[in-house]
Amino acid sequence: MATPYTGARVLGTNAVISESFAKQLTDLPAELLEHILCFHVLNHVDICKVSCTCKRLHDVCHGRGKVWAHQHKLRWPRLQRFYQQNESYDWLKEFKTRHMVGQQIRRTVESISKRFFTEVPCVGQVLGDSFAEIESLGAPEHFCADELLEILNSDKRKCLTLKYYAKKILYFLRQQNILRNLKVFLERPPELQSALEGAVLVDQYCNPLADVSLESTSAQIEEITDKVKKNLRVKNATHPSLRASDCFVLENLEFQRQVICALNAVLYDQLQYKGNERDYYNPLNSYIHQVLLRRTGIPISLSVLYMTLARKLGVPLEPVNFPNHFLLRWCQNQRRWASDDIYAYVYIDAFGKGKQLAAKECENLIRHQVGADYYSAISTSELLLRMVGNLLNIGKRGEGNEKSYQLLRDSLDLYLIINPDNVQYLLLQARLYFHLGIWPEKVLDILQHIQALDPSQHGAVGYLVQHTLEHIQHKRHPVEPEVKKRSVPEHRDVLYSVGLIMKHKRSGYNCVIYGWDPKCTMSQEWINTMRVHQLSKGADQPFYNVLVQDGTCRYAAQENLEPHSAPLEIAHPEVGRYFTEFSDTHYIANEELQARYPEDIFTYLTQDEDTLRYCT
Amino acid sequence: MPTIKLQSSDGEMFEVDVEIAKQSVTIKTMLEGKWYTGVDRWVTPPNVSSLICPQVIQWCTHHKDDPPPPEDDENKEKRTDDIPVWDQEFLKVDQGTLFELILAANYLDIKGLLDVTCKTVANMIKGKTPEEIRKTFNIKNDFTEEEEAQVKQVPFTLWHKKK
């Protein structure tokens, strides 16, 4: 307790015994009440309750907006950058809207799991309906993205299923946004389509969850041009590029030569950029932010970089769609107008350290001859088409895993935005979706489009239409999930539960079980190929569906698996589809998986198979 | 050690170390003011009664060696939640005194005292229903039935739904 004043009091001459200024909370001035209400021990629930107590407190809470502004900032700090500093907002409304969007998003994410447990998850397919509800709230897009990010950033080992679908939704939403930007970009007049911006859009679309932006990429480009200017200054302190701002062209060829020389010195000698010969087919070589990060790439991506840098320093280079090896061309005529003479240019190999080649020398690079057409300059759209085509081919060559299919899907989307009526690629897209078993309604749309463009395709189209319609029909009668109970006699040999972390005795890999069959259910062909009959119990033993550490899904025989002595988390992207949480020793099945394996509790086994101990 | 006299609003004089008094930014500014040259040093902090003045002095004396609180408001959230035990004991007073301490801390611009007193009040609000809050602070419900229904309406049903 504060000690009361003891000791002699001296009353001054103007002594006035005044009354206390504040007997009650409500007597405090508004600023102080706001100050109290802005302490972070109080959340929005408390503020609501306070505002219900009396008129004065209600006014303080709602009056100047400071209290709700604070709550908003406290709860969603990431959203602050969407609000202007000196504008006033209805902060309670902002809070409510964001709150409701958050709840709606969570409901959507939670409901998706049920829907996609047996089908292949395709966000585009489901979001049509759910998002109408969210859109009706009139909330800005970044509210949705913010809630999804909140889900993704929550406790690492919990809510795995929510996170799994939240990630897919965020991926899809961001892609939609980027696609819109790309469409706007492509509608601009060609002079306003910078290759860099196009390359950034491609990069963003294929990596929507990464932090790629035109601003950060341009900033990195700026750093390199500064280095080039420094180099240039040493050789020629009065070079015009040192003074000029962007968007200028050097008239004098000698000045241009000096820039190119400095650029080569900085890019290839100082910064050690080089063409990626060892790992040519890595998709990272096509993404401009990776090119800047790893200082390597393929001819087209390095050319985009080189061209952008040169242009900023006053040297206009043009992209050349040379077969197998993308090049840049540099006009050697003092006069600026475009020349059709292929010998009027020097060709630059950005992949090969900026080596300069005369027209026919380029053919040595690719070891066959080409006609003059192949030496002409192309537009940004055509450049992007080639870039996307590269990614498509990489996707096609891929191992047929989720990553390569995703790349194929993404690059097809991009291709068809730039070139929407290409029948060959439309057909490829339809076939791909059909093969993956996703979004049959969209497949039908694509097939209709193809019919309209090219009726001669009716053979391939007809086949796909028929089977897609069957697929849609089949979906209308959802099958009851197959429930597998351990207690029935046929299953008595099944030792292990879903969620257990196992080790493969022969291959040594770590995995988690997400399903089992009492006997091997694969075809005879599979059994023969995998040499199942060579196992001591052959195909006549329980087999387990497992998610493996390396990202694959496998089907393993019981005798080849043993419980892992030191259970660990399995870093497989599909874990969230089946499990909600990792609890130190095993994964906990989500609702959908539990419904199918209701009696699978975490079983602890001794080495001796005859005596089994069960613990929950 | 140099001291300074503080005169409360009702005319009483209290003598305090200058260093301790300077925790109040208001007093500090007064002391550093150009016009201040008096040998007989005394200031009249506005609106601080003789009942509260010694308590403020007591708090400042106990906290005289504290590091100055950080400037920006942002870090308010990141400072530790707990109110120090001494302060908790110090603030076991009736509400009237508590609010007067808040006002005094505000007038005298003593950030540490203002924070700790306001946080105490915030803690008294936390987790309570409106009726409980009214009871704690002796607040009269001046809403009509209609008004009350309107105020309670939309927010509550939504806020209470757990994710």
Side-chain angles (χ1 to χ4, degrees):
Chain A
M1 274 276 306
T3 53
Y5 181 70
T6 54
R9 285 179 169 205
V10 177
L11 287 178
T13 48
N14 295 321
V16 168
I17 311 290
S18 54
E19 293 179 9
S20 298
F21 282 99
K23 289 201 178 80
Q24 293 216 316
L25 179 65
T26 43
D27 292 330
L28 289 173
E31 310 86 62
L32 285 179
L33 286 172
E34 279 175 350
H35 188 81
I36 291 171
L37 293 174
C38 287
F39 269 92
H40 74 296
V41 293
L42 298 174
N43 64 20
H44 61 276
V45 179
D46 296 313
I47 302 297
C48 281
K49 307 238 173 118
V50 167
S51 69
C52 283
T53 50
C54 68
K55 284 185 183 170
R56 169 120 172 90
L57 288 178
H58 185 268
D59 286 339
V60 169
C61 288
H62 294 257
R64 298 195 305 184
K66 188 169 171 213
V67 176
W68 280 110
H70 170 85
Q71 284 295 327
H72 192 287
K73 189 170 171 186
L74 193 63
R75 180 94 183 270
W76 301 295
R78 248 189 328 249
L79 288 177
Q80 282 299 297
R81 65 192 182 94
F82 292 99
Y83 296 101
Q84 304 290 357
Q85 279 287 10
N86 31 20
E87 273 185 46
S88 71
Y89 298 92
D90 182 348
W91 284 105
L92 177 55
K93 179 154 173 266
E94 294 293 312
F95 193 98
K96 272 196 214 173
T97 311
R98 172 64 186 83
H99 184 94
M100 290 199 273
V101 165
Q103 293 196 309
Q104 189 60 36
I105 292 274
R106 286 197 184 236
R107 272 199 282 272
T108 304
V109 176
E110 279 163 12
S111 67
I112 281 183
S113 177
K114 199 161 264 123
R115 170 119 184 227
F116 282 122
F117 194 74
T118 41
E119 292 176 37
V120 177
C122 174
V123 174
Q125 200 173 349
V126 82
L127 280 198
D129 330 311
S130 321
F131 258 65
E133 256 188 85
I134 299 180
E135 270 168 4
S136 68
L137 292 172
E141 243 179 285
H142 48 260
F143 278 7
C144 301
D146 187 65
E147 183 67 29
L148 290 166
L149 277 172
E150 217 175 85
I151 295 176
L152 288 176
N153 289 337
S154 59
D155 185 351
K156 247 173 41 108
R157 296 156 133 211
K158 298 205 173 137
C159 303
L160 296 174
T161 306
L162 270 185
K163 285 197 198 133
Y164 175 79
Y165 290 106
K167 191 169 176 184
K168 287 193 189 290
I169 294 176
L170 190 60
Y171 192 97
F172 177 79
L173 282 181
R174 287 213 173 145
Q175 279 192 323
Q176 293 304 98
N177 211 15
I178 295 160
L179 223 50
R180 271 192 292 267
N181 292 343
L182 182 56
K183 279 194 192 135
V184 169
F185 175 81
L186 292 170
E187 281 162 13
R188 285 193 217 148
E191 324 75 80
L192 294 177
Q193 291 181 4
S194 80
L196 182 71
E197 194 173 342
V200 166
L201 285 165
V202 169
D203 187 350
Q204 284 177 327
Y205 192 80
C206 297
N207 302 288
L209 298 181
D211 202 6
V212 179
S213 69
L214 185 58
E215 291 77 41
S216 60
T217 314
S218 299
Q220 287 179 283
I221 300 274
E222 194 67 35
E223 278 177 27
I224 303 177
T225 47
D226 284 344
K227 290 191 165 74
V228 177
K229 283 183 184 170
K230 225 171 143 186
N231 184 301
L232 200 51
R233 190 167 289 125
V234 169
K235 297 180 189 146
N236 181 356
T238 59
H239 195 288
S241 298
L242 295 173
R243 297 186 304 273
S245 55
D246 289 342
C247 308
F248 69 102
V249 172
L250 291 165
E251 289 298 327
N252 184 317
L253 196 59
E254 182 49 37
F255 285 145
Q256 289 194 7
R257 285 200 190 105
Q258 289 175 2
V259 166
I260 296 292
C261 190
L263 178 55
N264 287 342
V266 167
L267 207 57
Y268 299 111
D269 297 332
Q270 187 184 338
L271 296 174
Q272 297 275 300
Y273 274 76
K274 54 176 174 277
N276 195 341
E277 283 169 19
R278 278 187 319 125
D279 192 13
Y280 197 81
Y281 294 103
N282 190 330
L284 296 181
N285 291 327
S286 296
Y287 304 138
I288 193 77
H289 84 280
Q290 289 287 352
V291 172
L292 287 165
L293 194 66
R294 302 180 335 140
R295 301 193 181 175
T296 189
I298 47 176
I300 190 170
S301 53
L302 288 168
S303 296
V304 169
L305 176 61
Y306 197 101
M307 184 170 86
T308 307
L309 290 166
R311 218 161 258 199
K312 276 179 79 84
L313 293 157
V315 181
L317 302 175
E318 294 168 301
V320 172
N321 205 3
F322 209 68
N324 290 357
H325 198 114
F326 204 84
L327 296 168
L328 295 168
R329 75 176 191 180
W330 178 20
C331 190
Q332 299 296 293
N333 285 350
Q334 283 284 148
R335 298 184 216 149
R336 291 273 105 242
W337 33 97
S339 173
D340 277 339
D341 178 10
I342 64 175
Y343 296 98
Y345 295 90
V346 161
Y347 299 88
I348 296 179
D349 180 9
F351 187 86
K353 301 207 174 174
K355 185 163 179 197
Q356 293 168 18
L357 305 158
K360 287 298 165 183
E361 284 178 333
C362 302
E363 288 160 20
N364 295 339
L365 271 177
I366 58 172
R367 293 195 208 116
H368 66 85
Q369 295 181 326
V370 296
D373 298 339
Y374 289 95
Y375 286 91
S376 33
I378 55 170
S379 65
T380 301
S381 303
E382 289 168 301
L383 188 157
L384 293 179
L385 214 53
R386 176 145 172 186
M387 198 178 246
V388 169
N390 287 342
L391 288 167
L392 241 161
N393 287 330
I394 296 174
K396 276 192 208 167
R397 293 162 73 104
E399 297 122 45
N401 56 16
E402 178 166 341
K403 219 169 157 191
S404 61
Y405 279 129
Q406 188 68 56
L407 183 58
L408 200 45
R409 279 171 70 176
D410 292 342
S411 49
L412 267 173
D413 287 340
L414 286 170
Y415 196 98
L416 290 168
I417 286 284
I418 306 172
N419 207 346
D421 294 331
N422 184 311
V423 170
Q424 180 195 356
Y425 285 112
L426 282 168
L427 204 47
L428 179 56
Q429 192 178 48
R431 284 204 181 107
L432 177 62
Y433 280 31
F434 182 79
H435 173 81
L436 293 173
I438 57 177
W439 213 348
E441 293 84 3
K442 178 158 183 189
V443 174
L444 287 179
D445 284 341
I446 302 170
L447 292 171
Q448 255 182 343
H449 189 186
I450 296 174
Q451 270 296 86
L453 289 169
D454 184 2
S456 74
Q457 294 288 343
H458 63 265
V461 168
Y463 172 87
L464 284 171
V465 166
Q466 185 196 340
H467 286 264
T468 306
L469 286 172
E470 279 173 20
H471 182 175
I472 295 179
Q473 195 58 26
H474 180 80
K475 276 195 336 174
R476 289 215 185 100
H477 307 289
V479 180
E480 278 299 312
E482 186 193 347
V483 176
K484 289 181 180 161
K485 295 191 176 177
R486 311 185 72 86
S487 51
V488 305
E490 308 90 80
H491 295 165
R492 69 158 181 259
D493 290 332
V494 178
L495 287 177
Y496 309 120
S497 292
V498 296
L500 270 180
I501 316 287
M502 311 296 282
K503 197 174 179 69
H504 195 276
K505 288 181 193 168
R506 298 237 208 97
S507 317
Y509 61 66
N510 302 324
C511 59
V512 59
I513 298 173
Y514 69 98
W516 49 255
D517 298 306
K519 306 260 185 282
C520 181
T521 57
M522 295 299 241
S523 66
Q524 194 56 45
E525 202 184 314
W526 187 90
I527 289 176
N528 292 342
T529 315
M530 302 300 278
R531 292 185 280 196
V532 168
H533 48 278
Q534 286 181 7
L535 297 170
S536 68
K537 297 201 185 107
D540 206 17
Q541 61 176 305
F543 267 71
Y544 296 88
N545 298 98
V546 293
L547 298 173
V548 185
Q549 193 97 44
D550 65 359
T552 56
C553 302
R554 305 198 201 193
Y555 196 53
Q558 181 162 283
E559 69 182 60
N560 279 339
L561 292 174
E562 60 183 3
H564 204 291
S565 50
L568 67 166
E569 282 180 80
I570 304 290
H572 189 289
E574 296 291 289
V575 164
R577 190 157 161 209
Y578 304 103
F579 304 104
T580 53
E581 199 177 317
F582 179 73
S583 74
D584 285 336
T585 49
H586 63 286
Y587 278 96
I588 299 175
N590 61 19
E591 248 182 76
E592 286 68 42
L593 190 59
Q594 272 185 30
R596 286 158 179 82
Y597 295 93
E599 292 171 9
D600 269 35
I601 50 180
F602 172 48
T603 55
Y604 228 120
L605 286 126
T606 59
Q607 292 293 21
D608 182 5
E609 279 179 13
D610 290 333
T611 58
L612 299 169
R613 254 189 284 118
Y614 287 79
C615 325
T616 41
Chain B
M1 249 180 295
T3 63
I4 177 175
K5 291 199 187 73
L6 303 181
Q7 183 178 49
S8 66
S9 57
D10 45 350
E12 284 199 43
M13 294 287 224
F14 301 91
E15 196 162 338
V16 181
D17 257 359
V18 164
E19 284 315 304
I20 292 174
K22 273 189 176 177
Q23 282 184 58
S24 153
V25 176
T26 311
I27 293 181
K28 184 167 185 254
T29 317
M30 280 184 185
L31 288 176
E32 288 167 359
K34 278 190 227 160
W35 45 265
Y36 184 81
T37 51
V39 172
D40 185 18
R41 296 155 13 122
W42 57 288
V43 291
T44 310
N47 298 322
V48 179
S49 75
S50 60
L51 295 166
I52 292 303
C53 205
Q55 297 183 12
V56 173
I57 294 172
Q58 187 185 5
W59 189 93
C60 290
T61 309
H62 185 264
H63 287 268
K64 68 180 193 298
D65 293 322
D66 282 2
E71 271 307 313
D72 71 35
D73 222 20
E74 305 306 309
N75 288 322
K76 180 164 72 172
E77 323 301 350
K78 291 163 190 151
R79 291 207 292 271
T80 51
D81 264 314
D82 306 326
I83 299 172
V85 176
W86 188 92
D87 286 344
Q88 284 181 38
E89 289 302 308
F90 177 82
L91 292 173
K92 280 186 181 156
V93 294
D94 61 276
Q95 281 186 20
T97 309
L98 184 58
F99 297 138
E100 287 219 45
L101 280 170
I102 290 178
L103 286 170
N106 188 39
Y107 296 135
L108 290 170
D109 200 350
I110 307 173
K111 198 166 180 345
L113 180 59
L114 183 64
D115 280 349
V116 99
T117 46
C118 287
K119 206 181 277 189
T120 304
V121 178
N123 283 336
M124 286 161 77
I125 294 173
K126 178 159 191 62
K128 292 195 163 82
T129 66
E131 196 42 54
E132 287 166 353
I133 296 174
R134 286 189 201 117
K135 209 161 160 217
T136 307
F137 295 102
N138 198 17
I139 299 173
K140 183 162 180 291
N141 180 359
D142 57 355
F143 286 121
T144 65
E145 260 187 57
E146 281 169 9
E147 286 169 339
E148 190 162 354
Q150 214 176 23
V151 154
K152 267 193 178 164
Q153 190 198 59
V154 178
F156 270 117
T157 47
L158 280 182
W159 302 148
H160 288 188
K161 215 177 263 188
K162 283 285 173 203
K163 56 176 164 147

